[in-house]
Amino acid sequence: EADIYQTPRYLVIGTGKKITLECSQTMGHDKMYWYQQDPGMELHLIHYSYGVNSTEKGDLSSESTVSRIRTEHFPLTLESARPSHTSQYLCASSEVQSMNTEAFFGQGTRLTVV
Amino acid sequence: KNQVEQSPQSLIILEGKNCTLQCNYTVSPFSNLRWYKQDTGRGPVSLTIMTFSENTKSNGRYTATLDADTKQSSLHITASQLSDSASYICVVSAVSGGGADGLTFGKGTHLIIQP
């Protein structure tokens, strides 16, 4: 089983609140990712990081921000939550890419903004 | 544009039956193809990963095939069990000099196993 953890698992929050979704991995992976997934839809990459102090935006535009101060930690922050942010957020990590590199996913955070 | 198409979108079969899920891709240059299983409300878990030189790979009752010439893959599930009910996602990786490893996700096939 993968050693990558996300908290909280579920979050219901009011519009305008600031929230931080936590993601930690104990595998020493340099690469970490955040994906957004609506019910029944595919995963969309919103942020990724190659290592400490490296952050990049993904294919899907997002109002969230991320930071990578430590290798094992990759939190995602929404400064002012809106109902349009309601979705499932999945964190993943992987080693430096080789032919058989695999991404390991966390359990996800299901966010509902009311 | 890199794309991954999966079929069928959803599938219902009886427990104990076999089924095959399809994945067609237009990702280039191809690096590898993975099948993930995603239980409802959980993160995806890897089932198999194949490079262009591999034609078939098994993981218990799951067998994946890859035809790099036609850019098609299939996932065959043998003797299905209730616990197989999940979404199965095909993910194709492109060789990339930068970016998030060039991963392209399919929308998944939602599989329901009925007793």
Side-chain angles (χ1 to χ4, degrees), chain A residues 9-10 31 33 35 37 40-45 48 50 59 88 90 94-95 97-108 110, chain B residues 30-32 34 36 38 41-46 49-52 54 57 89 93-101 103 105-107:
Chain A
R9 287 276 285 121
Y10 304 93
K31 294 189 173 180
Y33 317 82
Y35 291 88
Q37 184 182 32
M41 302 299 288
E42 66 267 44
L43 280 75
H44 290 288
L45 180 69
Y48 61 98
Y50 281 122
D59 304 321
Q88 172 156 267
L90 287 160
S94 69
E95 296 177 328
Q97 184 181 19
S98 66
M99 292 297 280
N100 287 316
T101 296
E102 170 185 346
F104 294 91
F105 286 84
Q107 299 272 36
R110 183 166 295 281
Chain B
F30 177 82
S31 176
N32 61 61
R34 322 162 201 205
Y36 281 88
Q38 184 177 23
R42 318 277 275 198
V45 175
S46 177
I49 180 168
M50 291 184 292
T51 62
F52 67 91
E54 297 175 292
K57 184 167 281 189
I89 304 171
S93 176
V95 176
S96 60
D101 297 331
L103 294 177
F105 286 79
K107 292 186 178 182

Side-chain angles (χ1 to χ4, degrees), chain A residues 10-64:
Chain A
Y10 304 93
L11 179 62
V12 180
I13 198 164
T15 299
K17 299 292 185 183
K18 177 181 179 179
I19 59 170
T20 296
L21 309 184
E22 302 289 347
C23 176
S24 296
Q25 51 96 5
T26 59
M27 297 174 281
H29 288 166
D30 287 324
K31 294 189 173 180
M32 296 189 74
Y33 317 82
W34 275 103
Y35 291 88
Q36 185 174 339
Q37 184 182 32
D38 292 326
M41 302 299 288
E42 66 267 44
L43 280 75
H44 290 288
L45 180 69
I46 52 175
H47 298 284
Y48 61 98
S49 166
Y50 281 122
V52 172
N53 294 325
S54 153
T55 61
E56 302 287 344
K57 289 190 179 295
D59 304 321
L60 182 67
S61 175
S62 174
E63 294 167 342
S64 59

Side-chain angles (χ1 to χ4, degrees), chain B residues 24-25 67-72:
Chain B
N24 297 335
Y25 63 92
D67 186 335
D69 291 330
T70 61
K71 298 185 178 180
Q72 295 180 324

